[in-house]
Every structure is written in structure tokens, then in C-alpha cells.
């Protein structure tokens, strides 16, 4: 909101145009996130389901096993080395368009890639419809609604929210999480992707607070860091589950 309030949309300089493009890209990312939510839960509410039989070969033992993979969204991407068992037609699509690449590891790699593609497609459609109706960039449309807000207040609210959230995340996302890992898996730390990205999130906000308090980074500098931090958090919460296989892949998204 601070950036939406302070970026100069009437400016034509190189720096102004760069800020305008990056801010619009941030809003596009939020629209893609909305597309992810709409597509995932929309198809689930609709009861869509497809089943595949996937053959998995263990390179070390040279043995193979067959497993069933269920999709809850129309399969644009089929699991690697799989056969379609059942699939409801969707918009004339009766078969997957292509197969997941062999280098994508993990039991649900194909299904996760399918979810990512649907999220991007849904986000692009949603963003395109919004731009078609509104006839202007989303950031430029929203800015007039924020003109009465004090930019310094917005900047201070953002900083205080992070200052409050950081010790809470330290306690819950690292300390309590390591205690839970010891109880569940017998070790405090195992370099699982979710653990690594939780640490990256903590380190990023440590840098944010350091730059804010020691170097006096305020205003746009602080706001852009907050935006990057939000992206890191969303990748930790959602992206890791969809893109990287690990012990936390069960956690809610497929």
C-alpha cells in the first residue's frame, strides 16, 4: 500500500517506469495467487477427479513398482510413465496434453506441476479479464483510493507488523518447529526444503530489521524489502509444497 501510494504513475523517467512495471508485476503475482485458490478449491467443490497408474523405477535397485495417482484438477500434465485409468472430460480435453519430465522427482511431482500450471493459467485469465474491463493497470487504478492515507503511517505500520511478527515466527517457525521435528522424526534439523526455506525467511527478515534499524532504510526501500519478504513467505508456505519434494509435501496443497 505504501508503494501504491508513493509511486509516481504520471512520471515518464526511466526509474518511474521501472517502479510502475515492478509494482504491476507484484499485483499480477497476487492475482496469480488468487487464481491458485480459485482453481484448487473450485475444482474440489465441483468434485473433479482423475486417476493414473504410474510406474516408478528405482535406479539403485533396478526394481519397479506401480502406484495410483489421483488428480483433483483436470490433468494438463500426466505423471511420468503413467497410464490414464479414468478422466472426466473438461472443455473438450479428454487426455493430458503432455507428461511430466523425468527429472521431476517425488511421488506427486506431476500433480504438483499440474497445479502450478493451472494456477498460472487461472491467474493470467483473471488478470486479462480485469485489465480488459478496467482498461488500465491495476496499480494505477488502485492508487486514487489511497490518496488520503499518510505514506509515513503506512511505512510505520508495515515495519511494526514485521517487528511483531519476527519474534513470533522465531518462536513458532524455528524453535517450536525444531522441537516438533525431534519428536516426529528424531532430529532437530534435517535440511528438508521446508526447514531450509523457513530459515531463509528468518534470515531475510533479520536483514530487513538490520537495514531498517541500523542503516535507516525507510520509505520505498523498506517497502520493496517487505514485498520481497512476502514473496519469500508465500514460497515457503505454498511454493515449497508444489515445487520441491520433501517431508512436508503433505501439508495441504497438491
Amino acid at each position: 500500500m505504501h508503494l501504491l501510494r508513493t509511486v509516481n504513475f504520471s512520471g515518464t523517467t526511466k526509474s518511474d517506469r521501472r517502479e510502475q512495471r515492478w509494482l504491476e508485476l507484484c499485483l499480477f503475482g497476487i492475482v496469480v495467487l488468487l487464481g491458485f485458490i480459485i482453481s484448487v478449491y473450485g475444482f474440489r467443490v465441483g468434485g473433479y477427479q482423475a486417476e493414473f497408474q504410474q510406474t516408478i523405477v528405482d535406479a539403485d535397485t533396478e526394481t519397479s513398482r506401480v502406484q495410483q495417482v489421483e488428480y483433483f484438477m483436470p490433468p494438463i500434465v500426466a505423471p511420468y510413465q503413467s497410464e490414464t485409468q479414468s478422466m472426466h472430460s473438461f472443455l473438450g480435453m479428454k487426455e493430458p496434453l503432455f507428461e511430466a519430465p523425468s527429472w521431476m522427482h517425488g511421488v506427486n511431482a506431476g500433480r504438483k506441476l499440474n497445479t502450478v500450471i493451472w494456477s498460472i493459467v487461472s491467474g493470467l485469465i483473471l488478470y486479462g479479464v480485469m485489465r480488459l474491463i478496467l482498461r488500465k493497470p491495476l496499480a494505477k487504478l488502485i492508487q486514487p483510493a489511497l490518496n488520503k492515507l499518510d505514506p509515513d503511517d503506512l511505512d510505520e505500520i508495515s515495519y511494526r507488523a514485521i517487528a511483531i511478527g519476527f519474534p513470533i515466527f522465531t518462536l513458532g517457525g524455528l524453535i517450536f518447529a525444531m522441537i516438533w521435528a525431534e519428536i516426529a522424526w528424531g532430529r532437530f534439523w534435517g535440511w528438508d526444503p521446508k526447514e531450509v526455506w523457513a530459515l531463509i525467511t528468518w534470515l531475510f527478515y533479520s536483514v530487513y530489521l538490520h537495514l531498517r534499524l541500523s542503516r535507516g532504510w525507510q520509505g520505498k526501500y523498506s517497502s520493496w524489502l517487505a514485498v520481497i519478504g512476502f514473496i519469500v513467505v508465500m514460497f515457503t508456505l505454498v511454493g515449497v509444497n508444489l515445487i520441491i519434494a520433501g517431508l512436508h509435501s503433505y501439508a495441504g496443497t497438491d
Side-chain angles (χ1 to χ4, degrees), residues 235-250:
F235 185 81
T236 302
L237 293 176
V238 180
V240 171
N241 292 350
L242 292 176
I243 299 174
I244 308 174
L247 292 173
H248 295 77
S249 295
Y250 60 82

Side-chain angles (χ1 to χ4, degrees), residues 107-207:
V107 175
N108 298 312
R111 186 172 65 180
K112 292 178 179 180
L113 176 60
N114 190 66
T115 302
V116 171
I117 292 174
W118 267 111
S119 301
I120 294 174
V121 170
S122 301
L124 285 170
I125 293 173
L126 185 59
Y127 180 80
V129 170
M130 294 171 72
R131 285 294 303 268
L132 189 64
I133 294 174
L134 302 173
R135 302 285 182 174
K136 62 174 62 176
L138 301 185
K140 189 174 182 179
L141 179 75
I142 296 172
Q143 189 185 49
L146 306 177
N147 283 339
K148 294 182 179 180
L149 299 178
D150 187 339
D152 293 335
D153 288 344
L154 293 173
D155 182 49
E156 185 66 18
I157 290 170
S158 176
Y159 160 66
R160 291 189 181 188
I162 293 173
I164 294 170
F166 181 75
I168 296 174
F169 179 78
T170 302
L171 191 64
L174 292 181
I175 298 175
F176 287 167
M178 287 190 289
I179 295 173
W180 185 90
E182 167 65 21
I183 296 171
W185 297 316
R187 85 292 188 279
F188 288 103
W189 186 266
W191 296 104
D192 182 75
K194 183 74 78 170
E195 296 170 353
V196 171
W197 275 94
L199 178 60
I200 291 173
T201 302
W202 186 85
L203 291 173
F204 180 87
Y205 281 107
S206 299
V207 172

Side-chain angles (χ1 to χ4, degrees), residues 80 100-105:
Y80 178 66
S102 59
W103 51 264
M104 290 193 67
H105 301 292

Side-chain angles (χ1 to χ4, degrees), residues 63-78:
T63 59
S64 62
R65 58 186 175 88
V66 176
Q67 69 173 16
Q68 296 294 121
V69 181
E70 290 185 343
Y71 277 44
F72 301 102
M73 304 174 71
I76 297 174
V77 182

